[in-house]
Amino acid sequence: DLDGTLIDSIHGIAGSLNVALGEVGRPPVELDAVKVMIGEGGRKTVALGLAATGGSDGIDIEAVFQSWTRTYIEVEVAKTEPYPGVIATLNLLAAQGFKLGLCTNKTRHVVMPILDAAGLGRFFGNAIVTPEDTPYPKPDGRHILATIDVVGGDPERAVYIGDSEIDHAAAFDAKIPMILVSYGYPRGPLDGMKADARIDTFAELPAAL
């Protein structure tokens, strides 16, 4: 997973969302409220932001989404950084022969600049599966299975790493073991997600694997 697992993106998402909402006369949404709006892609985040500030009647949701996307890419992407330990851990896993794939509900034209800015693109190559690449985005497990297929992996020897209920549901649906990171953007208590392992920092991932 990308947001809340590899990158700390909540401030950029919230800032861009509030710019887009302001353009249609809506008040800003608090950061904690935005945390429960992410995980199912930018359009869903925008729709939830509109719902929280008065609804979407008479609003062109696609236009608001495009505004959010534009602001995110032009302003926030450059500020996006991986969580501590992510680069070093991915380097270690790659050196050990792990096949790494990225399974995200973020749209591709937003994902690629983020990966470049955060120095993460080299770890995944073409093994980046976004909603444009599958008709079954998370929480459908086929999104994860498609990622495993692209990376040339074996579902019987695969593990999914994520931070939210969306990730948990997708891994369960794909029948893939899941490692849950505790520092991301879940919508509720972590106790409700029965992951196969839980880590508090990304540097703990190799031991969990």
Side-chain angles (χ1 to χ4, degrees), residues 5-193:
T5 301
L6 296 178
I7 60 169
D8 186 5
S9 54
I10 187 63
H11 292 279
I13 292 172
S16 302
L17 175 63
N18 285 330
V19 168
L21 290 174
E23 290 176 353
V24 292
R26 296 299 176 83
V29 181
E30 295 292 333
L31 190 67
D32 285 344
V34 176
K35 286 182 179 180
V36 301
M37 297 178 182
I38 66 176
E40 297 179 81
R43 286 181 175 82
K44 181 68 171 181
T45 298
V46 165
L48 291 172
L50 288 168
T53 56
S56 57
D57 288 349
I59 300 291
D60 184 343
I61 295 179
E62 184 62 21
V64 179
F65 169 71
Q66 294 299 331
S67 173
W68 172 80
T69 299
R70 184 172 58 254
T71 301
Y72 194 92
I73 292 175
E74 293 177 356
V75 179
E76 300 296 343
V77 161
K79 305 176 187 177
T80 302
E81 295 183 351
Y83 281 106
V86 165
I87 296 291
T89 301
L90 293 179
N91 272 323
L92 176 63
L93 295 177
Q96 291 178 342
F98 281 85
K99 297 178 179 180
L100 306 175
L102 184 64
C103 178
T104 176
N105 278 341
K106 241 184 175 66
T107 53
R108 180 169 289 273
H109 69 297
V110 177
V111 168
M112 302 314 290
I114 287 175
L115 295 181
D116 288 341
L120 295 173
R122 59 192 172 94
F123 293 109
F124 304 106
N126 294 324
I128 300 165
V129 182
T130 71
E132 292 93 333
D133 306 308
T134 174
Y136 310 107
K138 296 182 293 184
D140 194 308
R142 285 172 287 186
H143 193 168
I144 296 177
L145 295 175
T147 307
I148 295 169
D149 183 61
V150 169
V151 81
D154 178 357
E156 296 296 323
R157 293 178 54 80
V159 179
Y160 188 70
I161 299 97
D163 70 301
S164 72
E165 292 85 349
I166 302 299
D167 296 314
H168 181 266
F172 182 83
D173 187 48
K175 299 179 175 60
I176 298 296
M178 181 198 180
I179 296 174
L180 177 68
V181 303
S182 65
Y183 52 78
Y185 315 132
R187 296 180 176 179
L190 294 178
D191 292 343
M193 290 183 276

